[in-house]
Amino acid sequence: MTVVGTGYRIASQITPESLARIKAADKFFYLVADVVTETWLAGLNPSAENLTDSYAPGKSRTDTYNEIVDRILAPVRTGLHVCVAFYGHPGVFAHSTHEAIRRARKEGVPARMLPGISAQDCLFADLGFDPSDGCQIFEATGFLVQKPKTDPSCALILYQAGAIGVSTFETSALWNRSALQVLSEVLSKKYPPKHRITLYTAPHFPVCDPIILRISIARLPKADVTIATTLFIPPSKEPRWDDRMARRLGMS
Amino acid sequence: MAKRLTDFLIKLSTDSHSLEQFETDPAGTMDAAGLSATERKAVLSRNPNALRKELGQPHVSHMTDEKKKTAKKKKKTAKKKAAKKK
Ligand SMILES: C[S@@+](CC[C@H](N)C(=O)[O-])C[C@H]1O[C@@H](n2cnc3c(N)ncnc32)[C@H](O)[C@@H]1O
């Protein structure tokens, strides 16, 4: 079994290795975020099957993920070579792909994930940001509920800011606006309220540019956030420098 | 489904020559692809929502991850036990 990522821009961000796996599979499943990529993928392999119908408005996403894993594993168990394609990187903020690989391996079937271009990869390129001074990445609900220790001298990336606290699937562009108020309050305690943050959306279509909105943290509750938005909070402080450690490392 | 528009966008994403052609002569390439007036308008707007509307696609991004309570619950019980021991 192979799990691959299609990136964001229809057919242009997939690796040749992943494309070859899709074409060679006995059974091919896909789950992507736009209809054009769906059409392109459906044309690559006659066995192609869209996993989208495992989602339904109001249905628990946990149920959906379990169903997706079962759908993927059914042909694996009959000995078929299965390929599964997800948009972005198939292992970045994606529960069912990791779970399907774990279960296939447990059942003695070789399973492998091939990397894809994720939202943060597009973000680094489009915002011209290099994570070399550190970059903290969280799922937005987890950031609020699990309260990880974060450092304002490192950049912060939050996925799924448009779906905070929501455990079902919805079809609206933003699933929980009121939670953005909470996120804004929490961020304001760590950063100056006027600190500029970026709402980033990578383009799916080749004729479109990325959507890059720069706003203050205080403006977040009213901002144009969707479930496809990734939040980028640049550092508000210079990184620290430990002279003693630098000397110890021979960096004088 | 908007077949011509879909094929047009797939072509631009699989063939960099087509994309270059589109950038130099948008009207000509859209003519050749047989796009309707509203489809052309959507393409020229370069607005993903306008394109999505022409493609008949709602604003859906399939969530593939979800935060669950399980880890937190375990920690709480562990903490409570530790407190009792004290
Ligand atoms: C379940 S995760 C999937 C991430 C995907 N596997 C990846 O590698 O990028 C969904 C989240 O990805 C991000 N995302 C999805 N579509 C996006 C887009 N077009 N631009 C930027 N981020 C996007 C958002 O943070 C969204 O809430």
Side-chain angles (χ1 to χ4, degrees):
Chain A
M1 182 180 92
T2 315
V3 177
V4 306
T6 64
Y8 279 86
R9 288 171 78 86
I10 311 180
S12 53
Q13 290 181 336
I14 193 165
T15 64
E17 185 186 24
S18 296
L19 193 55
R21 293 299 179 108
I22 292 176
K23 290 180 176 169
D26 301 322
K27 178 69 194 166
F28 171 49
F29 293 101
Y30 59 93
L31 182 68
V32 292
D34 76 280
V35 286
V36 182
T37 308
E38 285 179 354
T39 306
W40 172 66
L41 289 171
L44 293 178
N45 185 316
S47 74
E49 185 176 326
N50 197 342
L51 292 167
T52 302
D53 52 5
S54 282
Y55 288 85
K59 180 171 168 182
S60 134
R61 296 213 304 281
T62 303
D63 289 348
T64 296
Y65 304 151
N66 290 336
E67 193 178 306
I68 286 177
V69 174
D70 289 340
R71 282 174 76 173
I72 294 171
L73 290 179
V76 169
R77 290 189 180 116
T78 68
L80 295 183
H81 286 288
V82 173
C83 182
V84 187
F86 271 43
Y87 74 95
H89 184 305
V92 172
F93 294 85
H95 170 80
S96 21
T97 48
H98 286 294
E99 182 60 22
I101 288 186
R102 264 194 297 270
R103 282 185 28 199
R105 285 182 181 157
K106 218 172 151 193
E107 294 176 24
V109 178
R112 208 179 150 204
M113 181 181 283
L114 300 178
I117 294 182
S118 67
Q120 71 207 41
D121 299 316
C122 300
L123 181 151
F124 293 149
D126 287 330
L127 301 188
F129 174 77
D130 185 335
S132 64
D133 278 332
C135 184
Q136 311 154 102
I137 303 166
F138 296 100
E139 197 277 336
T141 305
F143 174 75
L144 292 173
V145 180
Q146 299 169 333
K147 296 185 186 300
K149 283 209 172 70
T150 56
D151 177 350
S153 70
C154 279
L156 174 65
I157 291 178
L158 296 178
Y159 279 74
Q160 302 197 160
I164 295 174
V166 183
S167 60
T168 50
F169 173 74
E170 307 301 329
T171 49
S172 51
L174 171 62
W175 296 359
N176 188 353
R177 175 158 299 279
S178 60
L180 294 177
Q181 176 68 43
V182 181
L183 180 59
S184 167
E185 282 168 21
V186 169
L187 289 173
S188 300
K189 288 190 185 135
K190 289 182 179 279
Y191 299 89
K194 287 200 173 150
H195 189 55
R196 307 283 282 176
I197 63 174
T198 303
L199 313 184
Y200 172 77
T201 312
H204 287 287
F205 305 124
V207 297
C208 297
D209 290 322
I211 301 172
I212 298 169
L213 299 172
R214 290 197 169 86
I215 57 160
S216 65
I217 289 173
R219 295 269 312 147
L220 187 57
K222 295 212 166 111
D224 200 1
V225 173
T226 76
I227 46 162
T229 303
T230 295
L231 278 190
F232 176 74
I233 297 109
S236 61
K237 291 181 177 166
E238 288 290 314
R240 285 175 298 273
W241 183 268
D242 182 339
D243 279 328
R244 270 179 61 189
M245 176 57 81
R247 274 197 301 277
R248 215 180 136 191
L249 299 174
M251 307 162 65
S252 52
Chain B
M1 214 189 79
K3 188 170 182 319
R4 287 192 177 146
L5 179 57
T6 303
D7 290 345
F8 177 69
L9 293 171
I10 292 175
K11 187 152 187 234
L12 294 195
S13 91
T14 43
D15 171 17
S16 60
H17 179 65
S18 296
L19 187 58
E20 262 169 42
Q21 250 180 348
F22 168 76
E23 296 299 354
T24 45
D25 177 17
T29 22
M30 288 191 293
D31 257 352
L35 300 194
S36 73
T38 54
E39 288 172 339
R40 285 153 181 259
K41 214 173 144 197
V43 171
L44 289 177
S45 76
R46 295 176 184 263
N47 177 338
N49 289 332
L51 282 163
R52 243 182 245 121
K53 203 171 151 214
E54 284 304 311
L55 294 161
Q57 186 197 356
H59 196 113
V60 174
S61 172
H62 291 108
M63 288 293 164
T64 48
D65 193 49
E66 184 197 344
K67 275 294 145 229
K68 298 235 198 70
K69 269 189 264 169
T70 45
K72 192 183 152 198
K73 266 186 192 159
K74 271 185 205 156
K75 265 186 211 156
K76 255 194 175 171
T77 15
K79 261 189 203 164
K80 268 185 197 163
K81 273 184 193 162
K84 268 185 193 170
K85 272 185 189 169
K86 273 178 200 168

